[in-house]
Amino acid sequence: MAISEDPEGHEIRALASAVSFAGRRVLEIGCGDGRLTARYAPDAADVIAIDSDAEAVAALAAERMPNVVARVLGIEQLDAAPHSADVVLFAWSL
Amino acid sequence: MVDALRRAHRTVAPDGIVVDLHPDASPPVVEIGSRPTGHVDVEDGAHRHAAADATIATVVRDGLFAIERVVEFAFHTHADTIDELRDYIEENWRNARLDDLTVSRTREAAREMPGERPRAREHVILTVMRPRRQPVV
C-alpha cells in the first residue's frame, strides 16, 4: 500500500514555526502510531507519548526512539506530576 | 474534553505551553492534482471538531489559558489510486467513508490526468496556549 500522510511536511513545519522542542519535556496525548512523534522527538529532551489504542502504541514503541516512552493510556488515566512537562501536545485528540 | 485541558493545565510547567492540533469542521476534500472531486463523509466530524473549538474557548474564558498563536495548514493523505484512498480512510479514520459519486469522479479525473495521485485534504488548526498561573475569576 502506498499511502503517504503529509509528505509535504506541512504539519511539522507548522508545529516548528510555533513551538521549540529543543531540550523540552513533552507529553503527547493521542500519539497514535507516532507519525508526528517521530518528527519532533529527536529535538526534545524526553517524550511521554500516550494513546488508548494499544496496537498503535505498540507500533510507536517498536520504533525504539531512545527518548520516547510510549504508554497505552487515556488522559483520564494519566497521573503525571504537576509541572512535569514543558510542552503538552494534543495530537488530533481533543 | 474540558477535563483533558484542565489536566494539561496541572501538568504543564508555568512557563510551558499546551498545543492542540485538530481539523476544522469543514469536510475533508478529495482531489486529484488540484481538482476537487468530492468530499470525505465523516459522520460526526463537524460536530466533533466544533466541540474541540468550544472546549478551547471554554478554558480560555475560564482563565486557564491564553491563546498565544494560531497556525492553519493543509494536511494531505495521498494514495496511488482512489480505491486505495477509500479503503485507507474507511479502515483508519473514525466514521468516515467516500461515496460512490466521489470515487467515480476521481477515477474519471485520474484518467484525464495520468501521473497525478488522489489525495484527501484536511484543513488543520494548530493552537498554542499559554497557561495562566491563576484562573481569571
Side-chain angles (χ1 to χ4, degrees):
Chain A
M1 182 180 257
I3 293 287
S4 51
E5 292 180 302
D6 192 33
E8 304 88 351
H10 292 164
E11 184 181 46
I12 191 62
R13 277 207 298 277
L15 196 54
S17 75
V19 183
S20 169
F21 287 99
R24 300 285 188 90
R25 302 165 296 167
V26 182
L27 169 63
E28 183 180 348
I29 297 157
C31 59
D33 62 5
R35 172 183 56 76
L36 184 56
T37 319
R39 292 187 169 188
Y40 71 77
D43 293 332
D46 55 69
V47 179
I48 296 173
I50 69 169
D51 199 296
S52 53
D53 182 336
E55 192 176 338
V57 170
L60 170 56
E63 295 294 320
R64 298 187 182 280
M65 289 181 271
N67 60 339
V68 176
V69 174
R71 298 174 65 189
V72 181
L73 209 60
I75 189 170
E76 68 283 354
Q77 301 162 298
L78 181 67
D79 188 21
H83 305 165
S84 58
D86 301 307
V87 178
V88 177
L89 176 60
F90 286 86
W92 303 54
S93 58
L94 195 57
Chain B
M1 289 197 289
V2 169
D3 183 60
L5 279 173
R6 289 188 186 281
R7 285 172 180 267
H9 186 269
R10 285 197 294 272
T11 304
V12 73
D15 60 349
I17 54 172
V18 172
V19 181
D20 171 66
L21 287 154
H22 71 264
D24 73 2
S26 62
V29 175
V30 177
E31 58 191 11
I32 185 160
S34 56
R35 186 193 301 180
T37 54
H39 294 93
V40 181
D41 179 14
V42 185
E43 194 174 301
D44 57 347
H47 172 73
R48 195 176 350 132
H49 302 316
D53 290 340
T55 297
I56 291 172
T58 297
V59 295
V60 169
R61 190 189 59 226
D62 291 350
L64 285 178
F65 293 99
I67 292 178
E68 186 171 278
R69 190 159 179 201
V70 175
V71 179
E72 301 183 23
F73 63 93
F75 186 95
H76 296 125
T77 302
H78 298 255
D80 285 341
T81 67
I82 187 60
D83 297 290
E84 186 179 52
L85 184 63
R86 179 190 55 201
D87 291 348
Y88 179 80
I89 285 172
E90 292 182 359
E91 286 173 20
N92 293 281
W93 292 19
R94 199 163 84 187
N95 299 330
R97 60 182 294 277
L98 294 189
D99 62 44
D100 292 341
L101 182 57
T102 296
V103 170
S104 64
R105 276 186 192 146
T106 310
R107 274 201 197 106
E108 189 177 328
R111 279 194 290 272
E112 295 170 12
M113 292 184 281
E116 293 287 353
R117 300 174 77 205
R119 65 187 186 185
R121 171 168 46 88
E122 297 170 271
H123 183 233
V124 180
I125 315 248
L126 181 157
T127 306
V128 178
M129 292 171 276
R130 185 75 66 182
R132 291 180 182 270
R133 289 190 179 188
Q134 298 291 333
V136 175
V137 178

